[in-house]
Amino acid sequence: MMGLKVTNPGGKTWYGAKIEVDLVLKAGTYRFTNFHPKGYGVQITGEVSGGDGGSPATNTINIFNLSKAHEKLFKAKGHIVVKAGGYDIFGTIAVGNITKVSPEAIDGEDKSIAITFVAGKNYAKNKKIYNPYSGSKKVKHSYKTSSGKTISWTTSKKKNINIRFKKGSKAKTIIQRISREAGIPIAVLHLKKNKVYKKGYTLSSKPETAIKDIVKDCKSKLQYRMDDIIIDYDEKPTLFQTHLYFTLKNGLVNKPTLSDEDGKAPTWTVVTYLNPLVFNGSVFYVGENIKSLVRVKTYTHSLDDMQTSCEVVLV
């Protein structure tokens, strides 16, 4: 595969096996690659996956034969950037924070560490948020004396008040407020329908759950791309949205296959040589079997065979 030199119409080489892992720490950035002369020329394997399911993806990669000093650099909470692709079609395929580093494994003369990371922060466990101007409620207390007299008094007790939005509030305004109060950054916010809540809206669930519910009301979708949260909806794109036109001579590993299960919308599986422009939501044209524009629902970049397998739907 390393010797294969087929190019796309722009003259760029599709194929190759370049992989790079950048470990970003306060002390600086450490770069590990599988190619020379730059980097360390180490072996890097694993998979990077993603999809439109609305949760951040968890992935694991393996790096072989690092020095002890370099192994110790990889720790939980460290930030990594994974890049891969062909000789010219090369770019970022994953960004995230390390959650686990498995102990060194030894296989013959090779040793490796497995690095697990999450592409973005998981906000599902964020605590419920309340109005910052939460008030107080009156609490009545009483007791009877030995003589039978009842003594009563009242105190104030802090009360958490749900965030409420007035009648006629729009979905985008509500999402932006919840995002700001809960610390959930949203990189893109495009709603197909900016729903008006005629009776107002009360935040009665956890912030991420509330945002997802509102997005659904607006006929849109929340998904993670790299480490960003994207709120968008499917539009019919132009052919040149991603400038990708796949055929067996340009990027496809084999002909696409159709999955047409009863009761489910038909989907196609497309396998390309690893391409960083293929990720959830991306749109491209497939010139074999499908002969149409498609949109990616889920994808897996394999660093072992430098291929990308993706489930796509017709646009």
Side-chain angles (χ1 to χ4, degrees), residues 37-282:
K38 297 180 180 179
Y40 299 94
V42 295
Q43 182 185 1
I44 303 169
T45 65
E47 291 184 345
V48 170
S49 301
D52 61 1
S55 299
T58 299
N59 294 297
T60 299
I61 61 170
N62 306 287
I63 303 183
F64 289 75
N65 300 324
L66 291 174
S67 67
K68 287 292 184 183
H70 284 140
E71 280 187 7
K72 290 179 180 179
L73 293 172
F74 290 90
K75 298 178 181 178
K77 298 184 179 180
H79 189 71
I80 66 171
V81 179
V82 182
K83 300 176 183 178
Y87 298 108
D88 296 314
I89 312 299
F90 177 81
T92 301
I93 61 169
V95 179
N97 295 319
I98 298 172
T99 57
K100 179 183 177 181
V101 180
S102 297
E104 180 183 87
I106 298 177
D107 182 9
E109 295 183 358
D110 290 325
K111 59 180 183 177
S112 64
I113 56 172
I115 302 156
T116 301
F117 62 97
V118 175
K121 185 177 178 181
N122 190 341
Y123 299 96
K125 295 182 180 180
N126 274 28
K127 293 182 179 180
K128 185 177 174 182
I129 56 175
Y130 298 94
N131 194 315
Y133 306 105
S134 290
S136 61
K137 63 180 180 180
K138 299 294 184 181
V139 180
K140 191 174 182 179
H141 307 270
S142 66
Y143 79 97
K144 283 188 177 182
T145 65
S146 57
S147 62
K149 183 180 179 180
T150 299
I151 298 176
S152 301
W153 73 97
T154 301
T155 61
S156 294
K157 184 179 180 181
K158 184 180 178 182
K159 180 183 180 182
N160 286 326
I161 301 174
N162 292 342
I163 293 181
R164 297 187 178 97
F165 296 85
K166 63 184 181 180
K167 294 179 180 180
S169 293
K170 294 183 177 181
K172 188 173 184 179
T173 300
I174 298 172
I175 291 172
Q176 288 172 329
R177 169 79 183 279
I178 296 173
S179 167
R180 184 171 64 252
E181 297 284 351
I184 302 177
I186 297 173
V188 174
L189 178 52
H190 293 155
L191 298 172
K192 185 172 185 178
K193 173 186 176 184
N194 193 9
K195 179 177 176 177
V196 176
Y197 290 84
K198 294 180 181 179
K199 296 181 179 180
Y201 183 87
T202 298
L203 181 64
S204 57
S205 58
K206 289 186 177 181
E208 187 193 49
T209 301
I211 291 174
K212 287 182 177 179
D213 289 343
I214 297 169
V215 168
K216 188 175 181 180
D217 286 346
C218 296
K219 312 297 182 186
S220 303
K221 185 179 294 184
L222 182 150
Q223 55 188 303
Y224 283 78
R225 291 182 189 166
M226 302 297 180
D227 60 346
D228 286 330
I229 291 178
I230 306 294
I231 295 174
D232 209 341
Y233 59 97
D234 294 344
E235 291 182 295
K236 191 171 182 63
T238 65
L239 173 62
F240 301 104
Q241 181 171 324
T242 53
H243 302 273
L244 292 176
Y245 183 104
F246 287 119
T247 67
L248 288 173
K249 291 183 178 180
N250 285 294
L252 286 185
V253 174
N254 48 41
K255 289 191 175 184
T257 57
L258 176 65
S259 174
D260 192 7
E261 298 180 22
D262 291 341
K264 294 185 179 181
T267 60
W268 289 84
T269 298
V270 175
V271 181
T272 73
Y273 287 93
L274 196 149
N275 193 311
L277 294 178
V278 176
F279 51 85
N280 54 302
S282 65

